[in-house]
Amino acid sequence: MRRDVRILLVGDEGVGKSTIVTSLIKESFVAHVQHIVPEVTIPPETTPENVTTYIVDSGAGPQDRTHLESEIRKAHVICVVYSIDNPQSFDRIPTFWLPHFRQLGVNVPVILVGNKIDLRGGEVTNEALEEEIVPIMNEFKEVETCVECSAKLPLNVSEVFYFAQKAVLHPTAPLYDSREHVLKPACIAALRRIFKLCDTNKDGILDAAELNEFQRKCFDAPLQLQELEGIKAMVQEHAEGGVRDEGLTEIGFLYLHTMFIQRGRLETTWTVLRKFGYAEDLRLTESFLLPKFDVPTDCSVELSPIGYQFFTEVFENFDKDQDGALKPSELEDLFSTSPGNPWAAQKFPDTTLATDSGAVTLQGWLAQWSMTTLLDHKTTLAYLAYLGFPKEPRTNALQITRARKIDRRKGKVTRNVFLCYVCGAAGSGKTSLLRAFAGKGFMGSYEPTNKMISVVNAVDIDGSEKYLVLQEFGSRYEAETLRNQKKTDLADVIVYVHDSSDTNSFSYISNLRQQYSLDHIPTLFVATKSDLDLALQRHEVQPDVYCRRLGLQVPVAVSVKAGQTADVFHAICSVAMNPLSAIPGGADRAMSATRKLRMYFTLTAIVGGCTAGLVMLIRTLLRNGSAGLPAWSTPWATWLVGSKK
């Protein structure tokens, strides 16, 4: 919300603009004031809205034109003052002042201020005032309201600035169509979404408990029983279908906010909207959707127990038929408070566990969110907001893991979600392996993979549930991924797949390993299509010998077609949890390679420093000979000079 408000007073000469400002400051009438009162700053602690307020006076003479136009452009709200005893000053509002603002390209709220009501003869009813003001408000939507005051008495002076503040902080225009006297579509959509989020048991009404929680969230106070009964009675009287089964329906909820706005209590509706993350354009703010959440290098993000609990409750609330799975219609309802299904472009639910009819099981639902959090935690953060995570900070639903390098050095992994890259030649059976992992049937026909595929499932390791994400990149993106060190550093395991019935399949893997630096990643080899005849691979050594030379277990033989997966997914998770056991060449080799690399850079720096020193020594010798040098340097000097000759 805005932290300051700039109020500009304009109007014809003699209407009392400067007197209104001085009456506010002095709290009494000042008969003689200067032509333009200097800008006034009111500190936040003295205003009801707790914002810094700047009040700017202006003149209407020809000499004031430049200053006036400059201030109009800077104003957050403009008070157009007219005098009750000068009808012409009122007539010039729709004929000069309001068109003038539009000519300058200014679109801010406008408050009409009728000054000098102490000079009015007789009483004027609200109906009569409305007859004068409504035609102007209908033509100029920027006009928020009209306030009558007297700077002399003084009367209603502070109200002028209160309404001006409200027009900026709680504007009418985004919420309400003053001509049609109805809520605007964007406001209705936002309030409907809020209603759905507050209806925690999804029965279509807000019962006493849900209304109390809504009141606590928005206004930090419970709703008294008497207040609740009063609200329901009023809604029941004026809004047909607004109350059902002792609860407030969506119709009743919308009616309440319409009434608040019509009675000038826009701050109530705006407080609700802002508590649920909406900005003045009635869109959820980026800061609300993506709160600060820094992830250190080499760490990953997982759902915390609080996060898993929330997504479990969401699943159960929308599983209307309680069959343990979310069908497409239930998913559509679930995501109705968001931009839509975040996995629509990923062939969901093929990416996780689902029933034969395509309904997502609870295990598949939690696995999908585990994968999303691992691969793109910002999407999870945003959807926690879209789906109504109840308590802030929302980041409590996530947790950051220990760095992979530390895990590998200690040989003990503390994470619960693992990322595995699956690589191999086209047609080697990678996609079939991924489909089997997600519980999908075998596809007899071969279709080349041309985009990245990710699937996820839970794996039981010694009674502890871990989530494993398998990724296949396709021919288009595999090279791009493997040459990118930032991406390869994210992998917990790399699985090399070859078709045991294809003589050329294994050489593709061997070439990959030679081409890219991947030996720091825990590795597992898998031989697919074991139901077919074993072919002799066209490679200098056969796969089992190749693996033994690397200190790795021999390829795990599987046949997806025959349903024989040899618990390969358990093996992948075991490798991820015990990374030192599956480093090509052994853990010592990996650590040794790291030490050698560090030693290389250290020696390079030392040699580089020595070289610089020797060059200086040569220059000294060539200029002066070896005389005067320390004894330890003479043999070096003689050799260097000799070699120079």
Side-chain angles (χ1 to χ4, degrees):
M1 191 170 75
R2 187 185 292 278
R3 302 315 307 165
D4 66 320
V5 175
R6 190 173 184 84
I7 303 171
L8 172 66
L9 278 71
V10 305
D12 292 352
E13 292 291 338
V15 295
K17 301 184 295 295
S18 304
T19 312
I20 290 174
V21 178
T22 54
S23 289
L24 177 75
I25 304 305
K26 302 290 185 181
E27 296 184 345
S28 62
F29 177 63
V30 179
H32 302 289
V33 297
Q34 60 196 90
H35 174 58
I36 299 177
V37 174
E39 181 178 311
V40 176
T41 302
I42 301 177
E45 58 270 16
T46 62
T47 64
E49 300 292 347
N50 196 34
V51 293
T52 303
T53 304
Y54 305 98
I55 300 174
V56 183
D57 191 13
S58 68
Q63 72 277 11
D64 303 312
R65 186 179 184 87
T66 303
H67 174 260
L68 174 64
E69 291 186 356
S70 171
E71 289 298 340
I72 288 172
R73 288 190 171 95
K74 290 192 289 184
H76 298 149
V77 56
I78 301 173
C79 294
V80 184
V81 183
Y82 64 95
S83 178
I84 297 295
D85 66 338
N86 180 2
Q88 186 182 359
S89 66
F90 179 80
D91 294 339
R92 274 173 45 85
I93 292 174
T95 59
F96 172 72
W97 286 108
L98 294 173
H100 184 52
F101 303 153
R102 290 185 174 183
Q103 278 183 336
L104 295 175
V106 172
N107 183 23
V108 297
V110 174
I111 307 293
L112 305 186
V113 181
N115 190 26
K116 306 184 184 181
I117 56 173
D118 53 289
L119 298 180
R120 172 184 283 149
E123 289 188 7
V124 175
T125 62
N126 285 336
E127 289 77 11
L129 180 61
E130 193 172 313
E131 280 184 20
E132 288 186 321
I133 300 301
V134 167
I136 297 176
M137 294 182 73
N138 286 339
E139 184 178 355
F140 298 93
K141 61 178 177 58
E142 56 269 38
V143 176
E144 290 274 331
T145 190
C146 178
V147 185
E148 290 192 334
C149 70
S150 169
K152 186 174 183 178
L153 292 178
L155 179 67
N156 284 351
V157 172
S158 60
E159 279 76 5
V160 169
F161 298 99
Y162 172 67
F163 280 109
Q165 277 187 337
K166 280 182 62 174
V168 177
L169 301 174
H170 314 299
T172 304
L175 308 183
Y176 190 72
D177 188 329
S178 300
R179 297 174 186 172
E180 301 295 329
H181 305 290
V182 293
L183 296 176
K184 288 188 173 178
C187 179
I188 292 173
L191 291 174
R192 278 180 173 161
R193 177 178 174 272
I194 291 169
F195 178 89
K196 286 182 178 180
L197 293 178
C198 295
D199 179 18
T200 53
N201 60 6
K202 310 305 171 191
D203 62 353
I205 61 170
L206 298 184
D207 58 29
E210 290 165 339
L211 281 169
N212 252 314
E213 181 57 27
F214 166 77
Q215 180 81 3
R216 184 205 59 76
K217 178 181 176 70
C218 295
F219 305 103
D220 297 320
L223 198 62
Q224 300 301 319
L225 181 61
Q226 189 175 355
E227 293 174 316
L228 177 59
E229 293 303 322
I231 288 171
K232 287 194 293 186
M234 181 184 61
V235 172
Q236 201 157 18
E237 182 181 350
H238 297 285
E240 186 179 351
V243 175
R244 190 182 80 237
D245 299 332
E246 295 299 311
L248 201 64
T249 66
E250 185 183 277
I251 292 171
F253 189 71
L254 292 174
Y255 166 76
L256 272 181
H257 286 282
T258 305
M259 185 197 66
F260 290 145
I261 294 168
Q262 289 174 343
R263 294 185 180 181
R265 290 176 54 190
L266 287 100
E267 65 274 15
T268 302
T269 300
W270 273 116
T271 298
V272 171
L273 290 166
R274 286 172 178 141
K275 283 290 183 181
F276 281 85
Y278 287 93
E280 285 185 16
D281 60 0
L282 293 184
R283 295 179 182 177
L284 294 172
T285 64
E286 186 173 345
S287 61
F288 175 74
L289 291 174
L290 300 175
K292 184 176 174 60
F293 188 75
D294 296 326
V295 182
T297 305
D298 202 36
C299 296
S300 58
V301 183
E302 298 177 356
L303 286 174
S304 69
I306 294 172
Y308 280 115
Q309 181 183 351
F310 171 73
F311 282 117
T312 300
E313 289 172 356
V314 168
F315 181 96
E316 291 172 347
N317 284 335
F318 284 91
D319 182 16
K320 291 298 184 183
D321 53 11
Q322 298 184 347
D323 64 348
L326 295 177
K327 56 175 69 75
S329 60
E330 290 170 332
L331 278 171
E332 185 179 352
D333 192 22
L334 187 155
F335 286 122
S336 65
T337 57
S338 75
N341 188 328
W343 316 300
Q346 303 172 22
K347 292 188 176 179
F348 178 83
D350 286 353
T351 53
T352 190
L353 280 186
T355 65
D356 293 340
S357 61
V360 182
T361 64
L362 176 59
Q363 185 179 352
W365 169 256
L366 295 178
Q368 185 73 26
W369 280 114
S370 299
M371 176 168 69
T372 301
T373 306
L374 178 71
L375 301 179
D376 181 15
H377 71 272
K378 289 184 178 181
T379 294
T380 300
L381 266 179
Y383 271 79
L384 285 165
Y386 290 135
L387 300 178
F389 186 77
K391 294 181 181 179
E392 295 296 336
R394 206 177 328 126
T395 50
N396 284 345
L398 307 182
Q399 60 189 22
I400 298 172
T401 67
R402 192 166 67 183
R404 285 179 177 82
K405 289 177 182 175
I406 295 176
D407 275 351
R408 288 173 188 168
R409 188 167 68 242
K410 291 180 177 291
K412 183 180 180 182
V413 174
T414 57
R415 283 167 293 118
N416 298 304
V417 187
F418 302 114
L419 177 61
C420 171
Y421 291 167
V422 180
C423 301
S428 60
K430 302 185 297 295
T431 304
S432 294
L433 193 66
L434 266 64
R435 285 181 57 82
F437 184 51
K440 306 298 182 284
F442 176 72
M443 294 177 63
S445 59
Y446 168 67
E447 293 181 12
T449 303
N450 53 21
K451 66 177 183 178
M452 188 174 72
I453 300 174
S454 302
V455 300
V456 63
N457 203 341
V459 178
D460 183 88
I461 302 289
D462 300 327
S464 175
E465 190 172 67
K466 305 293 181 182
Y467 289 101
L468 177 62
V469 177
L470 302 183
Q471 281 192 332
E472 176 196 353
F473 305 102
S475 56
R476 185 182 301 179
Y477 301 107
E478 188 171 76
E480 176 188 329
T481 302
L482 297 182
R483 76 164 64 99
N484 186 327
Q485 186 179 343
K486 287 185 178 179
K487 290 185 177 179
T488 57
D489 284 348
L490 297 176
D492 296 295
V493 184
I494 188 165
V495 168
Y496 295 108
V497 176
H498 74 278
D499 177 355
S500 61
S501 68
D502 180 352
T503 57
N504 298 310
S505 189
F506 191 78
S507 61
Y508 178 89
I509 293 172
S510 178
N511 291 335
L512 267 187
R513 293 194 62 253
Q514 290 178 24
Q515 192 172 355
Y516 304 108
S517 177
L518 304 170
D519 280 359
H520 64 289
I521 307 173
T523 301
L524 184 72
F525 286 79
V526 174
T528 59
K529 307 183 186 180
S530 62
D531 55 307
L532 302 178
D533 291 339
L534 181 67
L536 193 67
Q537 295 293 319
R538 290 177 181 169
H539 190 261
E540 56 186 19
V541 293
Q542 292 305 296
D544 55 340
V545 177
Y546 184 89
C547 289
R548 288 193 186 99
R549 287 182 179 180
L550 290 174
L552 303 175
Q553 73 176 87
V554 297
V556 180
V558 301
S559 170
V560 174
K561 183 179 180 180
Q564 299 167 353
T565 56
D567 215 1
V568 66
F569 309 116
H570 186 282
I572 295 171
C573 263
S574 296
V575 166
M577 293 184 68
N578 301 282
L580 295 183
S581 67
I583 298 293
D588 292 340
R589 175 183 166 185
M591 299 298 287
S592 174
T594 304
R595 284 195 294 270
K596 284 178 181 177
L597 194 62
R598 288 175 183 162
M599 188 180 297
Y600 168 78
F601 285 118
T602 304
L603 287 173
T604 301
I606 292 171
V607 171
C610 290
T611 303
L614 291 173
V615 170
M616 291 296 295
L617 186 60
I618 292 168
R619 287 175 179 166
T620 303
L621 288 169
L622 290 175
R623 190 166 56 246
N624 302 325
S626 62
L629 289 173
W632 62 265
S633 64
T634 304
W636 282 90
T638 304
W639 179 82
L640 286 165
V641 173
S643 63
K644 180 74 177 176
K645 291 176 181 178

